[in-house]
Amino acid sequence: MKTMNEINFKGKKALIRVDFNVPLNENFEVTDATRIQSAKPSIRKVIKDGGAVVLMSHLGRPKGVEEKFSLKHIVSKVSEVLGVQVKFVSDCVGEKAEKAVAELKMGEVLLLENLRFHPEEKAGDVNFAKQLSKLGDIYINDAFGTAHRAHASTTIIDQFFPNNKCFGFLLAKEIESIKKVLEEGKKPVLAILGGAKISSKITVIENILDKVNHLIIGGGMSFTFVRAQGGKIGNSICEDDKQKLALRILKQANEKGVQIHLPVDVVAADAFSNDANTQICDINKIPDGWQGLDAGPKSRELFNDVVLKSKTILWNGPLGVFEMENFAGGTIALGNSIAEATKNGAFSLVGGGDSVAAVKQFGFANKVSYVSTGGGAMLESLEGKTLPGIEAMLK
Ligand code: AMP
């Protein structure tokens, strides 16, 4: 399959699956345009070559046609980001859509209405995919955020473009970044997993134990490991039914030569509140009535040492309840350490849900090598799965 750079789009209409599932406020204004910005390079390349662009995306989870999920709300934002007046058509298949595409001139951009207004999109309906395929000469998949779904526009449509398809720049970059960590990572390779629960990340842990040299387990997850080893964790969050699993993970890591680093101390609070009283204590000696809500100073230092000696770093999940200012310090310290390691030449990938929110909130997005745009898609990639949207392209 050709890359985007190997294709000249002059005189062609490119049908691009983008992920414009952006957050809107109560006035239907886009509050975070990152996903639109991320799709810009692919769109600009087609236009620059002298082609035209037809954009398709979903927005939210509509049940049939629901005005509040109409992509018309984002037309002005997309136009602003692209620097082109974007046209809009109120359906994504059928006569209206086909007419709008036929009238589209080279250099122009057309946005189709929400794909999910048709239940056939999520059902992966072949006939629906075939109708969509009439709307372009070349298919570009640039939607990493939905690459883990076998939907009509992300996976089923590929068969109608056997020789006329390619990954967009964004999707290609996502694939390359994951490969750089999981397959080609320069040693020492470090993964940092944080967040609330082990249960949502078991498969990730099991898969990456074969790929990394060091594993930092932080955040709420760490307490299950500490209690399983006999530590006193007070009222900290814990999945008691996962204690055996935690011990098994520690044993597996040991057998595979992976060094696991758990926090040694915490910022403990007497309530789950930003205004709670706090104290620093050892992670295995948290008094009853107190709960660990952030990594303590010794843990931050320990993690900093591990991060700085790593050449490849993957970060998924915060080290504490970073949404509350008083418990964001550990996550911020880790972001600083990763930024420094990156400056010194390490490759750093931040992906999956809340750590992405954290790097954006604390201004680290430009100080790491790559911030993934896909939450679920990123997690499934880290679990070692081949995503259907990527597999279909490679067929
Ligand atoms: P996840 O979606 O699994 O990555 O979990 C992210 C959430 O974990 C964030 O909302 C954090 O507030 C939460 N979290 C991190 N550390 C802790 C902790 N020590 N206690 C409770 N929640 C935590």
Side-chain angles (χ1 to χ4, degrees), residues 13 15 54 92-95 97-98 101-102 127-137 157 160-161:
K13 289 179 180 169
L15 176 61
V54 180
C92 62
V93 285
E95 244 172 62
E98 286 171 28
V101 172
N127 205 19
F128 179 71
K130 190 173 178 185
Q131 287 190 58
L132 287 173
S133 74
K134 291 182 193 167
L135 307 178
D137 308 311
I157 193 170
F160 301 106
F161 296 92

Side-chain angles (χ1 to χ4, degrees), residues 194-198 200-201 218-223 236-237 266-267 272 291-295 316-324 331 352-355:
K197 292 181 174 175
I198 309 186
S200 58
K201 292 183 187 167
M221 280 210 290
S222 55
F223 299 106
S236 307
I237 186 173
V266 292
V267 180
F272 189 80
Q291 52 188 307
L293 294 185
D294 197 8
N316 173 289
L319 290 191
V321 184
F322 74 99
E323 298 92 337
M324 296 182 198
T331 300
D354 277 322
S355 34

Side-chain angles (χ1 to χ4, degrees), residues 5-23:
N5 276 329
E6 288 165 343
I7 299 175
N8 186 338
F9 291 90
K10 189 170 179 14
K12 304 275 184 212
K13 289 179 180 169
L15 176 61
I16 314 185
R17 177 46 159 113
V18 287
D19 179 4
F20 284 176
N21 184 27
V22 289

